[in-house]
Amino acid sequence: MPILRGPENSLTKDMTELEKSLGVDLKINQDGDLELNNLNDFSLVAGTQNAAQAVYLKLNIEPGGLVYHPELGTSLQVGEKTKNAIEIKAQILKSLSKDPRFDSVDARVQVLGDVVLVDLRVTLANTGIEVPLQFAVPT
């Protein structure tokens, strides 16, 4: 995870040290592509928005999809054949619990026909702030 070091910049100048500890990364748009700013440079995401993006990415990577991080990924992609709620929950916990930005991760997964329902609670590191996320994925 990128940790911010060096001089302040417009992205981080008003952030607390806690927000800075959540890192800075390249911003991904809704299509999963790198986002460009109006100067045709890569956009950045920082703080809590970076933590949220990390959750999104880790849930949308297929298991084993990253060669150097095979522990990341879930079977939550649209059209995925896995409908085992226990396996999906284990994948979510494994993907997110190793990230130092999160103190704890709790997930409830339910499969109802062709839909996987996920109720996720992620606690941001060193804050005690619990972030609830709920979503449904058609399989």
Side-chain angles (χ1 to χ4, degrees):
M1 172 186 76
I3 300 293
L4 200 59
R5 304 216 192 288
E8 294 289 328
N9 61 51
S10 61
L11 183 65
T12 61
K13 70 178 176 154
D14 295 326
M15 287 186 168
T16 66
E17 289 303 313
L18 186 59
E19 289 174 313
K20 289 178 187 178
S21 73
L22 296 174
V24 175
D25 206 346
L26 297 172
K27 187 171 185 177
I28 306 295
N29 68 21
Q30 291 180 350
D31 297 326
D33 296 324
L34 291 172
E35 185 174 291
L36 296 177
N37 61 26
N38 59 352
L39 299 174
N40 261 352
D41 197 0
F42 293 116
S43 295
L44 298 175
V45 62
T48 54
Q49 291 179 346
N50 185 41
Q53 178 175 283
V55 170
Y56 174 80
L57 291 173
K58 289 175 185 196
L59 294 179
N60 285 291
I61 294 170
E62 294 180 33
L66 296 175
V67 175
Y68 296 110
H69 301 284
E71 72 281 2
L72 297 181
T74 66
S75 297
L76 288 173
Q77 294 74 36
V78 173
E80 181 65 38
K81 303 286 187 236
T82 302
K83 292 187 181 182
N84 183 326
I86 295 170
E87 181 180 336
I88 293 171
K89 178 180 177 177
Q91 290 172 342
I92 291 170
L93 295 176
K94 186 176 180 182
S95 271
L96 296 176
S97 64
K98 294 189 187 257
D99 192 317
R101 291 174 280 206
F102 311 124
D103 278 340
S104 67
V105 179
D106 182 37
R108 289 182 177 75
V109 178
Q110 188 177 11
V111 178
L112 295 175
D114 290 338
V115 176
V116 177
L117 302 173
V118 179
D119 181 7
L120 182 63
R121 304 210 180 282
V122 179
T123 304
L124 295 177
N126 305 315
T127 67
I129 297 172
E130 184 178 85
V131 180
L133 303 164
Q134 296 176 329
F135 54 92
V137 180
T139 58

